[in-house]
Amino acid sequence: MCRRGTLIGIGVGPGDTELLTLKAAKLLEEIQVICSPKSSKDKESIALSIVDPIIREREDYDELTILEPLFPMIENKKKLEKYWDDASQAIADYLNKGIDVAFITLGDPSIFSTFSYVQKRLKDNYTVKVIPGITSFTACASACDIPLVEKNQVLTVVPKIDDRLEDIMSYSDSIVLMKTSRNPEELEKLIESKNKEKIIYSVENCTRDEEKVIEGFSKDKPYLTTTLVKFID
Amino acid sequence: MCRRGTLIGIGVGPGDTELLTLKAAKLLEEIQVICSPKSSKDKESIALSIVDPIIREREDYDELTILEPLFPMIENKKKLEKYWDDASQAIADYLNKGIDVAFITLGDPSIFSTFSYVQKRLKDNYTVKVIPGITSFTACASACDIPLVEKNQVLTVVPKIDDRLEDIMSYSDSIVLMKTSRNPEELEKLIESKNKEKIIYSVENCTRDEEKVIEGFSKDKPYLTTTLVKFID
């Protein structure tokens, strides 16, 4: 029986190709199959656009296989699982032939990443490796030129605004709100209600060409907006 | 008057040189002055050892200036501020001559980094840029082959174990404990007291040659130990 291929989850960072790690870039110069899920058939995959300048330089670019399974943004869990099952099966087909597959994902593969769905399905039967990436929130702090946390401060990363936010505000010195564009008014009201001095920055499309750093909350709704809230003692 | 130099904070990641970003590596191949604080005169700077394979390749290696200001691990705030003032002044001396300075720091410059002390002192008078780095906790999750957070889970990053931990446990799905080796017994007792199914991993010297992944808590005390706690619903 031939050797099974390895699945490698690669964090490609927030947007700037230069924020790929040396390790990720090296691997993307050699790998034969790249899997890059997309949320809709008509949209370009952001992760793929980030690695594009690296893979375009390859002499064997035309022979590269790029899998683009659909991971739609729907709520129906059963339907979603079918999409993840299908994508995992498509990857497994290559692994079974002894071919390695790189699964690229925005930011870091361990933080709110679609990679976790295929990782869970394949890790028991295949070798899975992960190359960490720059998370959006540290890139946003860099763009705002502020430290996120210092000394004994507590940092909380929140993917969605729900009723836990009030408790979180009472113990956190800094809060990162991912994809805040989903419900900015509700968020703004909750944060402002906290009677403590604070600095607030929102970053749209961090490290991408269209990057925009805003003091306070974002009124636009680009998909990639992160808000940093820092309470001052 | 000549142009003032730029201060660039560079996150060099958790330990493996290959986890430097392309942007950081490129800059380290060109910059003339590198500042790398160390905690004691006798100890090697870990950040410097990470970038060493990059800068050693430089043809002009012998002409490179490496500043190694002392940032001791002491509690006396007044004494500490004097160390940070002195380091900032040493950096400013170069910036005033129009020479750029790269300040290298383990992990990411915005997460519990000594960079924040010089950043604060110099940002009003000089241009300061930040290149984000791979944080230890995403590298640790990669080493453990587990997602840190998925879907609507809340992640909390805690630098020190204190009386907030119990409250933090009530709303967090995943907790990262940085430098847990400081007080492992206390930590273990607190986490175990939480009546919820959990998986716990500790990673010593993540991505370095001596990396060790432990299920549960670490009994050794290397300086660079991170513990990941994930509560299962």
Side-chain angles (χ1 to χ4, degrees):
Chain A
M1 212 181 92
C2 73
R3 182 194 79 90
R4 283 186 157 181
T6 298
L7 169 64
I8 307 122
I10 301 184
V12 300
D16 180 355
T17 303
E18 294 285 296
L19 291 181
L20 278 169
T21 61
L22 300 174
K23 196 170 187 170
K26 204 172 274 181
L27 200 131
L28 289 166
E29 283 162 7
E30 292 170 357
I31 198 98
Q32 281 310 309
V33 181
I34 295 174
C35 179
S36 177
K38 46 202 283 185
S39 58
S40 106
K41 271 184 189 147
D42 319 316
K43 277 191 194 153
E44 191 202 24
S45 148
I46 301 173
L48 194 59
S49 72
I50 293 171
V51 306
D52 189 68
I54 305 280
I55 59 176
R56 286 240 175 236
E57 291 288 309
R58 289 175 56 160
E59 277 178 23
D60 60 351
Y61 177 70
D62 293 336
E63 292 152 42
L64 204 60
T65 302
I66 295 179
L67 307 173
E68 295 190 89
L70 204 61
F71 281 13
M73 289 187 183
I74 54 175
E75 297 286 330
N76 184 320
K77 212 186 158 196
K78 216 170 162 185
K79 276 190 186 166
L80 271 177
E81 297 217 329
K82 175 86 170 70
Y83 282 104
W84 299 331
D85 286 344
D86 289 350
S88 303
Q89 188 54 55
I91 292 168
D93 288 345
Y94 285 93
L95 301 178
N96 289 336
K97 289 178 211 153
I99 300 168
D100 298 340
V101 178
F103 186 107
I104 57 174
T105 181
L106 207 59
D108 182 279
S110 68
I111 307 266
F112 307 118
S113 163
T114 50
F115 176 67
S116 64
Y117 308 131
V118 299
Q119 182 180 25
K120 270 187 200 152
R121 283 165 171 77
L122 297 171
K123 68 187 281 186
D124 290 339
N125 294 313
Y126 302 91
T127 305
V128 179
K129 287 185 184 160
V130 180
I131 301 179
I134 302 290
T135 64
S136 60
F137 54 85
T138 69
C140 288
S142 293
C144 299
D145 200 14
I146 55 163
L148 211 48
V149 268
E150 299 163 84
K151 294 172 199 156
N152 293 331
Q153 294 176 343
V154 168
L155 168 69
T156 305
V157 183
V158 180
K160 199 187 161 184
I161 295 124
D162 60 27
D163 49 17
R164 290 176 295 182
L165 190 58
E166 230 171 302
D167 286 326
I168 290 169
M169 282 199 288
S170 58
Y171 304 108
S172 302
D173 301 291
S174 287
I175 301 175
V176 169
L177 300 142
M178 313 278 281
K179 294 176 189 162
T180 40
S181 50
R182 281 187 202 158
N183 34 11
E185 288 88 16
E186 192 190 340
L187 170 72
E188 202 164 336
K189 229 170 72 187
L190 256 169
I191 301 278
E192 292 297 356
S193 73
K194 177 84 182 169
N195 190 16
K196 215 172 173 187
E197 203 187 327
K198 43 196 150 336
I199 47 175
I200 302 167
Y201 281 105
S202 295
V203 185
E204 299 174 4
N205 297 306
C206 190
T207 81
R208 289 158 63 85
D209 287 341
E210 326 86 276
E211 177 181 288
K212 201 168 150 190
V213 177
I214 299 151
E215 265 202 74
F217 294 93
S218 160
K219 304 291 172 200
D220 311 330
K221 295 193 176 200
Y223 172 62
L224 300 169
T225 297
T226 302
T227 295
L228 313 179
V229 179
K230 216 178 150 175
F231 296 107
I232 316 281
D233 284 330
Chain B
M1 211 182 91
C2 75
R3 182 194 78 89
R4 283 187 158 182
T6 298
L7 169 64
I8 307 121
I10 302 184
V12 300
D16 180 355
T17 302
E18 294 284 296
L19 291 180
L20 278 169
T21 61
L22 300 174
K23 195 169 186 170
K26 204 172 275 181
L27 200 131
L28 289 166
E29 283 162 6
E30 290 170 359
I31 197 99
Q32 281 311 309
V33 181
I34 295 174
C35 179
S36 176
K38 47 201 282 183
S39 58
S40 106
K41 270 185 190 145
D42 319 317
K43 276 190 194 155
E44 191 202 25
S45 146
I46 300 173
L48 195 59
S49 72
I50 293 171
V51 306
D52 189 69
I54 305 280
I55 58 176
R56 285 237 176 240
E57 291 288 309
R58 290 175 56 160
E59 276 178 24
D60 60 351
Y61 177 69
D62 292 337
E63 292 151 44
L64 205 59
T65 302
I66 296 178
L67 307 174
E68 295 189 89
L70 204 61
F71 281 14
M73 290 186 180
I74 55 175
E75 298 285 329
N76 184 320
K77 212 187 157 194
K78 216 170 162 186
K79 276 190 186 167
L80 271 177
E81 297 217 327
K82 174 86 172 72
Y83 282 105
W84 300 330
D85 287 343
D86 289 350
S88 304
Q89 188 53 55
I91 293 168
D93 288 344
Y94 285 94
L95 301 178
N96 289 336
K97 288 179 212 154
I99 301 168
D100 298 340
V101 178
F103 187 107
I104 57 174
T105 179
L106 208 58
D108 181 279
S110 68
I111 308 264
F112 307 118
S113 163
T114 49
F115 176 66
S116 63
Y117 308 130
V118 299
Q119 182 179 24
K120 270 185 200 153
R121 283 166 173 75
L122 298 172
K123 69 189 282 188
D124 290 339
N125 295 313
Y126 303 91
T127 305
V128 179
K129 287 184 182 161
V130 180
I131 302 179
I134 302 290
T135 64
S136 60
F137 54 85
T138 69
C140 287
S142 292
C144 299
D145 201 13
I146 55 163
L148 210 48
V149 268
E150 300 163 83
K151 293 170 199 155
N152 294 331
Q153 294 175 343
V154 168
L155 167 68
T156 305
V157 182
V158 180
K160 199 187 160 185
I161 296 125
D162 59 29
D163 49 16
R164 290 176 295 183
L165 190 58
E166 228 172 304
D167 290 318
I168 288 168
M169 282 197 290
S170 64
Y171 63 72
S172 301
D173 301 291
S174 287
I175 301 176
V176 169
L177 300 142
M178 314 277 281
K179 296 178 188 161
T180 40
S181 51
R182 281 189 205 157
N183 35 10
E185 289 88 18
E186 192 192 339
L187 170 73
E188 202 165 335
K189 229 170 74 187
L190 255 169
I191 301 278
E192 293 296 355
S193 73
K194 177 84 181 169
N195 191 18
K196 215 173 173 188
E197 204 186 329
K198 45 194 149 332
I199 48 175
I200 302 166
Y201 281 105
S202 296
V203 185
E204 299 174 4
N205 298 305
C206 190
T207 82
R208 288 159 62 85
D209 287 341
E210 325 85 276
E211 177 181 288
K212 203 169 150 189
V213 178
I214 299 151
E215 265 201 74
F217 294 92
S218 160
K219 304 292 173 199
D220 310 330
K221 296 192 174 197
Y223 172 63
L224 300 168
T225 297
T226 302
T227 296
L228 313 178
V229 179
K230 215 179 152 174
F231 295 107
I232 316 281
D233 285 330

